[in-house]
Amino acid sequence: MMFQQDLETLPREELKELQLRRLQDLCARLYANVPFYQRKFDEIGITPKDIKSLSDIKYLPFTEKQDLRDNYPYGLFAMPKENIVRLHASSGTTGKATVVGYTHRDINNWANCMARSFASVGLTQKDMIHIAYGYGLFTGGLGAHYGAEQLGAVAIPMSGGSTKRQIQLMRDFEATALCCTPSYALYLYEAGLESDINFKELPLRIGVFGAEPWTENMRHEIEEKLSIKAYNIYGLSEVMGPGVACECEASANGLMHIQEDHFYPEIIDPITGEQLEDGEEGELVLTTLTKEGVPLLRYRTRDITSINTTPCACGRTFRRINRLKGRSDDMLIIRGVNVYPQQIEGIIIEAEGTAPHYQIIVTREGALDTVEILVEIAEGTFTDTIKGLQQREQKIQKTIKEFLGVTTKVRLVEPKTIERTDGKAKRIIDKR
Ligand code: ADP
Ligand code: K
Ligand code: ZN
């Protein structure tokens, strides 16, 4: 079932025409209303009228997160306050928060994108969606909420926190779907065990998880423990919030359809800024084609992925992005080798007797980077000897060395010693 079938299945040629028209309109709006962009256009020496085809986008300036910070709070708003109906702010994972504003139409488009996402993973009006993303300035909670209502499902606005109570209400209210970060889904599972609530006996059937990177192995872990189908959803507050891209029932391996009528995607080389071909891995750049409040041109997400053009069996014509590999600013350079935490996650989860909870601690000893990885032992796995424990640690170290080429020190720790959060998990502690 599609929420907006006519749009989601637009023939690609028509879609491109729509995108071009919207891009031209966007440039005109930015030039007229946002001095920051007017200056940028003038510097480069182009006017909105110079945009004749979609490929001309490559001549347009990028927008960086720093630009939002420099223009904090309202410098990039393209609409006067009387047209803005809501503010949100990014969670500030990588520094000072940034503020975004939405018009009525922006909120409605966002709700549609989220409703499309929910429908694409098989949710309908009959579903009860337990929303455990934080409500507030963070876009997760309210974004999912409006989408659930737009779809006609029942939105259960739990927000984060009170984990034990959440799990009881999830049972009492007979929630059929769960929306939160993948790490919080696992935390809920643990809270269930402690409250004698067995996920396998709940009506819960689908999870829509995002807001932080996660791996295919993590998906399997969650699906098995919670006895659900787990889907990946992507978004970011600067561009809208959750619902920019989402998996569908026919997608596998984390491929997510981008809502291409609203967002124009490009992949660039993060160092040179050059556009890359479809299929090549690089930094995702998004242009908001319809946004009114704070429209952004070529926003550098710092998220690493690639665009997949294979037609999807679901019939949607929107291209798909691959599971996010991580943020370019999360990439660790360990003695010259580039490593993403997700690559380590994949290996840890696959190892025997480990729980999917880990933390990567990077320090510098003299001139050398050292990486210590704390991994929890799975509850109920009994290790008799210290030697046995050490052997398991070494085995994981060896696999990491083999697959990623970096030397690490793996330390197995007691269950539940790594901090749980109801939002984005803190995976890396960089002490350098
Ligand atoms: P912040 O930058 O403060 O974390 P947001 O709360 O808007 O701001 O988070 C957006 C970011 O979260 C994205 O840029 C991306 O790095 C990450 N993210 C969101 N969804 C996913 C996902 N499904 N997979 C991987 N990363 C994701
Ligand atoms: K972000
Ligand atoms: Zn599909």
Side-chain angles (χ1 to χ4, degrees):
M1 233 284 289
M2 292 188 208
F3 183 68
Q4 292 180 309
Q5 184 154 1
D6 46 340
L7 292 167
E8 292 174 78
T9 59
L10 263 187
R12 294 237 24 118
E13 283 312 308
E14 278 176 53
L15 177 62
K16 284 186 194 159
E17 274 167 39
L18 180 70
Q19 287 176 321
L20 176 60
R21 254 187 290 123
R22 288 184 168 173
L23 177 65
Q24 289 166 328
D25 171 66
L26 170 71
C27 289
R29 285 189 287 129
L30 288 174
Y31 195 82
N33 302 318
V34 187
F36 166 83
Y37 280 112
Q38 191 185 60
R39 234 180 300 123
K40 287 228 170 194
F41 274 74
D42 289 347
E43 270 167 27
I44 299 174
I46 47 174
T47 70
K49 290 209 163 49
D50 294 327
I51 302 304
K52 299 276 196 307
S53 73
L54 276 177
S55 66
D56 288 340
I57 196 168
K58 62 176 174 286
Y59 304 119
L60 294 172
F62 289 118
T63 309
E64 308 251 7
K65 193 165 183 118
Q66 190 59 39
D67 296 323
L68 278 97
R69 291 190 178 130
D70 292 345
N71 290 282
Y72 178 89
Y74 303 132
L76 293 185
F77 279 47
M79 282 284 197
K81 288 203 185 73
E82 53 262 42
N83 297 93
I84 301 290
V85 299
R86 188 175 329 151
L87 294 185
H88 276 290
S90 89
S91 47
T93 311
T94 57
K96 193 174 141 190
T98 51
V99 181
V100 283
Y102 303 76
T103 63
H104 265 303
R105 187 178 290 163
D106 290 337
I107 295 286
N108 194 46
N109 283 339
W110 184 12
N112 283 337
C113 286
M114 274 308 292
R116 285 179 190 178
S117 302
F118 284 144
S120 76
V121 301
L123 295 175
T124 70
Q125 291 180 348
K126 292 190 189 135
D127 281 288
M128 317 263 304
I129 309 180
H130 180 110
I131 301 165
Y133 279 125
Y135 279 63
L137 285 174
F138 175 56
T139 49
L142 283 162
H145 186 98
Y146 274 62
E149 289 187 353
Q150 192 91 333
L151 179 66
V154 179
I156 308 175
M158 282 302 312
S159 194
S162 327
T163 305
K164 284 218 164 129
R165 183 158 170 269
Q166 291 226 11
I167 185 89
Q168 282 155 12
L169 293 182
M170 196 184 277
R171 175 196 59 197
D172 298 349
F173 294 171
E174 298 169 355
T176 56
L178 169 64
C179 234
C180 58
T181 57
S183 50
Y184 192 54
L186 286 171
Y187 187 11
L188 280 168
Y189 167 76
E190 289 178 342
L193 289 182
E194 280 166 18
S195 321
D196 280 322
I197 293 173
N198 184 349
F199 267 89
K200 299 207 157 56
E201 286 160 13
L202 301 182
L204 198 69
R205 62 187 190 94
I206 284 172
V208 188
F209 305 122
E212 67 183 8
W214 53 312
T215 55
E216 209 47 42
N217 285 345
M218 179 73 98
R219 186 208 314 259
H220 296 147
E221 184 92 22
I222 293 173
E223 288 192 329
E224 177 167 328
K225 287 195 155 143
L226 275 68
S227 193
I228 57 174
K229 286 282 294 168
Y231 292 96
N232 197 5
I233 187 163
Y234 169 79
L236 63 169
S237 55
E238 292 84 352
V239 165
M240 179 175 79
V244 172
C246 188
E247 286 182 323
C248 69
E249 286 176 293
S251 266
N253 298 319
L255 288 174
M256 298 179 278
H257 288 282
I258 307 183
Q259 310 294 347
E260 277 195 276
D261 51 341
H262 294 291
F263 308 101
Y264 186 79
E266 297 168 80
I267 300 289
I268 61 161
D269 179 324
I271 313 234
T272 64
E274 294 279 315
Q275 269 186 350
L276 298 178
E277 299 288 317
D278 284 342
E280 288 187 296
E281 186 176 278
E283 178 180 344
L284 177 66
V285 169
L286 292 167
T287 294
T288 65
L289 295 172
T290 51
K291 221 167 148 207
E292 297 178 329
V294 189
L296 296 180
L297 203 52
R298 305 190 83 198
Y299 182 68
R300 294 189 57 161
T301 65
R302 305 189 196 180
D303 294 320
I304 304 296
T305 183
S306 55
I307 294 180
N308 183 302
T309 54
T310 327
C312 184
C314 75
R316 288 179 181 80
T317 48
F318 297 157
R319 288 176 297 172
R320 292 175 290 171
I321 48 169
N322 268 298
R323 176 178 287 284
L324 283 295
K325 195 162 172 187
R327 305 179 181 236
S328 56
D329 36 17
D330 262 0
M331 189 184 74
L332 295 166
I333 305 182
I334 309 297
R335 302 189 193 176
V337 182
N338 301 352
V339 187
Y340 286 97
Q342 281 59 59
Q343 295 176 295
I344 293 177
E345 176 182 297
I347 293 171
I348 290 170
I349 294 183
E350 213 155 67
E352 214 178 306
T354 55
H357 300 283
Y358 66 95
Q359 214 155 43
I360 302 169
I361 303 166
V362 191
T363 45
R364 182 162 286 159
E365 278 169 22
L368 286 185
D369 302 323
T370 30
V371 184
E372 186 180 34
I373 305 171
L374 307 184
V375 186
E376 281 184 18
I377 304 177
E379 199 116 36
T381 36
F382 181 71
T383 327
D384 46 356
T385 60
I386 292 190
K387 193 155 172 247
L389 206 68
Q390 284 171 343
Q391 278 169 349
R392 278 162 57 188
E393 290 174 341
Q394 278 156 12
K395 201 167 160 206
I396 302 174
Q397 276 167 212
K398 200 163 154 254
T399 316
I400 292 175
K401 175 82 193 169
E402 246 169 55
F403 283 92
L404 308 178
V406 288
T407 306
T408 56
K409 167 130 194 45
V410 172
R411 198 148 61 79
L412 291 171
V413 297
E414 297 272 323
K416 296 192 186 147
T417 45
I418 291 170
E419 197 195 344
R420 306 287 190 265
T421 79
D422 57 6
K424 301 182 187 230
K426 179 125 188 71
R427 304 288 194 202
I428 308 170
I429 299 176
D430 199 334
K431 295 182 174 166
R432 288 175 296 183

